[in-house]
Amino acid sequence: MTTSAELIEMSERRSAHNYHPLPVVIHEAHGAWVTDVEGKRYLDCLSGYSSLNFGHGHPKIIEAARDQLDNLTLTSRAFYHDQFAQFCAGLGDLTGKDLILPMNTGAEAVETAIKVARKWGYEVKGVEPDQANIIVMEGNFHGRTTTIVSFSTDPEAHDNFGPYTPGFRLVPYGSTEAIRQAVDPNTVAVLVEPIQGEAGVLVPPDGYLSEIRELCTAQGILMIADEVQSGLGRTGQTFACDYEGVVPDIYVLGKALGGGVVPVSAIAANRDVLGIIQPGQHGSTFGGNPLACAVGIAVIELLNTGEFQARAAKLGEVLHARLRELIGRGVVEVRGRGLWAGVDIDPELATGREVSKALMARSVLAKDTHGSTIRLAPPIVVSEEDLVWAVNQLADALYELNTA
Ligand SMILES: *Cc1c(COP(=O)(O)O)cnc(C)c1O
């Protein structure tokens, strides 16, 4: 058998180093637990950046995928297929929107929203040709394409990938006053993460999203909510926007929409917005393929039960209560909503990477972000017992680092 160490060495030798993975080689997974090639088990507290909200190998999702594999996997959008209508209707109902435009990755869905907003700006709002601007937030993460990294404020994501796509205005996250000042007659949209995930699970001030909604409505601007990571049950609601009763003009969805099986993303919007797209103006060979739709339908059915949202809310209270007890004991601050937490480690004590490694040694897989923050987002199917155990591992790891 090839060992983890050998597989890591071989992987590093023949792959671009665009990631810095923890030194674990996963072989199989069920629910919230993964097993490495040596047979050691770990609790997954990252969930593929919230792609695995329903856990690894959820029986309903796997069954849907398996059935579909036997029938039909790809048609391209040159033809209709028998899973497409139900996927679009289901996602339309879940979001309360008229129309769906399916893509594959989150970044593609963000690109789709940007293109739709610009086209809407020119054709409906009457913005001067090529003058549209979109207001975006400092600290944003919307993906890795050349246009998206053009407005990233993370030097690693942004630098040396120019020339950059113009037409974006950066404002500080959390300030509606800054948005108000940035708006001009050519502004077509505000693009916002309801909670900034990659930035460290930053929750904006109360009222932020509803103020953006009001501002956008008043100024005739589209509100685009990137719910790729915050959506689909993670926060204890179907969408993080639900906490403020806010309905954006465009939902951007991805990650968990693919059930941890295949990449599935989409934007959802009403006919007055998404209706501007005509044949030939946008698309994707794999977007809305039969396998993706079958998996997406299973995901939507799980969300329609409401069980995952309720469970994330309930377990989220347990998670946050336990994490708050660690403040002053190696933890400086805890943020988040539902089963999603950003934990700032005292930088004097350890880096996020060091804490992630200490957690890994204790059979918990988590990922650091931005220096000293650990992000915890276990699959929503995690048991309460395992969740508490994982936080205890963090407490013990921090205690050890404190006394080392
Ligand atoms: C992950 C993520 C994306 C990009 O999704 P990919 O599937 O990696 O392209 C976009 N927006 C947010 C908020 C994300 O977390």
Side-chain angles (χ1 to χ4, degrees):
M1 193 196 78
T2 319
T3 64
S4 287
E6 287 164 342
L7 288 166
I8 289 169
E9 199 275 322
M10 289 157 69
S11 302
E12 290 300 316
R13 191 148 30 94
R14 297 307 299 270
S15 70
H17 292 176
N18 58 329
Y19 281 89
H20 184 24
L22 285 172
V24 57
V25 183
I26 298 167
H27 172 64
E28 65 168 280
H30 302 283
W33 288 86
V34 307
T35 307
D36 74 7
V37 292
E38 275 87 20
K40 185 177 175 195
R41 297 176 77 231
Y42 303 84
L43 186 70
D44 183 356
C45 285
L46 181 66
S47 303
Y49 303 94
S50 290
S51 298
L52 290 152
N53 284 359
F54 312 98
H56 293 269
H58 189 286
K60 293 241 166 73
I61 297 173
I62 296 300
E63 189 191 331
R66 226 178 236 136
D67 289 349
Q68 193 58 42
L69 277 174
D70 285 336
N71 287 333
L72 177 71
T73 52
L74 191 66
T75 54
S76 85
R77 293 285 308 280
F79 313 118
Y80 293 92
H81 64 75
D82 63 2
Q83 304 298 303
F84 191 72
Q86 195 186 341
F87 173 71
C88 294
L91 194 55
D93 290 347
L94 189 77
T95 54
K97 296 295 185 187
D98 298 337
L99 304 178
I100 300 300
L101 199 164
M103 297 292 284
N104 310 285
T105 65
E108 287 175 310
V110 171
E111 289 274 350
T112 303
I114 291 168
K115 286 176 70 177
V116 167
R118 285 177 169 182
K119 201 164 199 298
W120 172 89
Y122 300 124
E123 295 177 7
V124 178
K125 189 173 170 168
V127 170
E128 291 297 307
D130 286 345
Q131 295 304 307
N133 69 69
I134 294 176
I135 295 170
V136 294
M137 308 307 152
E138 290 171 9
N140 69 72
F141 184 84
H142 297 290
R144 303 293 196 169
T145 63
T146 43
T147 285
I148 292 171
V149 302
S150 292
F151 57 86
S152 172
T153 54
D154 175 354
E156 287 183 349
H158 173 274
D159 292 357
N160 290 335
F161 295 115
Y164 300 106
T165 306
F168 299 96
R169 293 188 171 178
L170 278 161
V171 300
Y173 187 62
S175 164
T176 41
E177 191 42 43
I179 298 174
R180 209 178 303 278
Q181 285 173 15
V183 169
D184 75 6
N186 294 329
T187 303
V188 295
V190 173
L191 169 60
V192 64
E193 293 161 86
I195 292 177
Q196 283 190 334
E198 298 304 299
V201 195
L202 301 189
V203 181
D206 283 344
Y208 180 59
L209 300 172
S210 47
E211 282 173 33
I212 294 179
R213 177 66 280 176
E214 279 169 30
L215 189 153
C216 286
T217 304
Q219 305 268 354
I221 300 167
L222 300 178
M223 177 179 182
I224 306 172
D226 181 348
E227 293 256 16
V228 168
Q229 195 166 161
S230 59
L232 310 183
R234 174 55 56 193
T235 65
Q237 299 275 352
T238 305
F239 305 108
C241 281
D242 294 347
Y243 274 94
E244 295 196 21
V246 162
V247 178
D249 297 293
I250 303 179
Y251 284 103
V252 183
L253 302 171
K255 292 203 166 106
L257 192 57
V261 177
V262 282
V264 185
S265 71
I267 71 165
N270 280 339
R271 200 171 299 280
D272 56 344
V273 175
L274 201 36
I276 56 131
I277 294 288
Q278 297 302 315
Q281 295 173 350
H282 191 58
S284 159
T285 304
F286 287 89
N289 70 70
L291 183 59
C293 287
V295 165
I297 291 165
V299 164
I300 293 159
E301 279 170 1
L302 293 179
L303 286 167
N304 282 339
T305 66
E307 286 166 24
F308 290 86
Q309 296 89 324
R311 187 170 177 81
K314 178 174 150 272
L315 290 181
E317 280 178 28
V318 175
L319 174 67
H320 285 278
R322 302 284 298 193
L323 286 173
R324 275 196 299 270
E325 289 171 15
L326 302 183
I327 292 174
R329 292 196 257 157
V331 168
V332 182
E333 192 182 290
V334 178
R335 296 171 301 273
R337 202 156 253 169
L339 209 47
W340 198 19
V343 182
D344 287 349
I345 306 297
D346 179 355
E348 307 264 288
L349 187 63
T351 63
R353 177 91 182 167
E354 285 163 344
V355 175
S356 297
K357 282 193 163 172
L359 282 173
M360 189 187 136
R362 295 173 165 279
S363 300
V364 174
L365 294 184
K367 186 80 173 77
D368 56 300
T369 179
H370 292 96
S372 56
T373 301
I374 299 283
R375 166 176 32 190
L376 295 177
I380 300 169
V381 295
V382 68
S383 73
E384 183 169 336
E385 202 188 343
D386 289 347
L387 180 67
V388 170
W389 171 83
V391 182
N392 289 345
Q393 298 313 304
L394 176 62
D396 290 354
L398 291 172
Y399 181 80
E400 258 180 30
L401 286 162
N402 249 322
T403 52

